[in-house]
Amino acid sequence: MTTWPVGARTGRYHPLMRALHWTIALLVLIVLPVGILIKFVAEADKPVFYLIHESLGFLILWIMLARLAVRLAIGAPPREEPVPAFRALATTVHVSLYAALILQPIFGFLATNAFGFPLQWFGVVTVPSPIGDSPELAPYLMGVHVALGYAILVLFCLHMAGVIYHTFVRRDGLLRRMI
């Protein structure tokens, strides 16, 4: 783990961590609405929406795994500790976001395959399924995938509330750590 300089309480995250953070944020802001819109688009347009949703979702999985590895290797810069209750909430939100953003695409991938549709990653690579066609299991996997989608939305809102709180109430420069 990197040793951060003494007194670097509001130091910035490593450039790789920042790049991974904003890449994930952008991808989630595309994948989540596309996933919600799929059920509302015309049947002829659904394959394009599924391709975008599934391909970018699977990409999120791999970027999140890379982000987790980098976070474990590099760590986070030290910072001024907020009120302990808020620290616990912030930690819970961050850990939950990491877990949900890793589990969500896994369950989506398994559900899609269980419904009998192998993942065609960006229409180029067929990703083999560990479970194959399993119509009895598919609805349960999709239920978890959907529940995780709502959880990510709630966690995103909590994360943004924290950003707003630190930017406009505490004015402690916390946002600068990630930009």
Side-chain angles (χ1 to χ4, degrees):
M1 187 172 291
T2 298
T3 304
W4 296 90
V6 175
R9 294 184 342 192
T10 57
R12 294 177 78 193
Y13 278 87
H14 187 278
L16 182 55
M17 282 296 295
R18 294 194 316 261
L20 293 170
H21 173 274
W22 291 110
T23 300
I24 293 292
L26 176 64
L27 290 172
V28 168
L29 290 174
I30 296 168
V31 168
L32 191 59
V34 169
I36 292 168
L37 290 173
I38 287 173
K39 65 182 174 184
F40 299 108
V41 299
E43 286 300 317
D45 297 328
K46 284 186 192 273
V48 172
F49 278 74
Y50 276 116
L51 178 70
I52 293 167
H53 181 75
E54 294 170 0
S55 295
L56 293 180
F58 201 62
L59 183 60
I60 287 172
L61 169 63
W62 295 107
I63 296 173
M64 278 304 300
L65 291 173
R67 183 175 176 188
L68 179 60
V70 171
R71 175 66 187 256
L72 292 173
I74 296 175
R79 64 182 176 84
E80 183 179 336
E81 286 296 314
V83 180
F86 285 125
R87 182 73 221 130
L89 177 60
T91 299
T92 300
V93 168
H94 282 110
V95 169
S96 298
L97 266 171
Y98 269 78
L101 287 168
I102 290 169
L103 292 172
Q104 167 82 349
I106 291 171
F107 277 95
F109 168 70
L110 294 175
T112 300
N113 281 275
F115 278 118
F117 302 101
L119 173 62
Q120 298 294 323
W121 202 20
F122 295 105
V124 176
V125 177
T126 301
V127 181
S129 170
I131 61 171
D133 194 356
S134 181
E136 65 284 345
L137 186 57
Y140 296 105
L141 295 169
M142 185 54 71
V144 174
H145 180 71
V146 170
L148 283 167
Y150 285 114
I152 289 168
L153 184 58
V154 169
L155 291 166
F156 172 77
C157 290
L158 288 170
H159 185 61
M160 291 309 302
V163 170
I164 291 167
Y165 170 75
H166 280 280
T167 301
F168 298 109
V169 176
R170 287 193 59 152
R171 298 175 189 230
D172 58 9
L174 189 76
L175 179 60
R176 284 191 302 265
R177 292 163 45 96
M178 193 51 82
I179 55 174

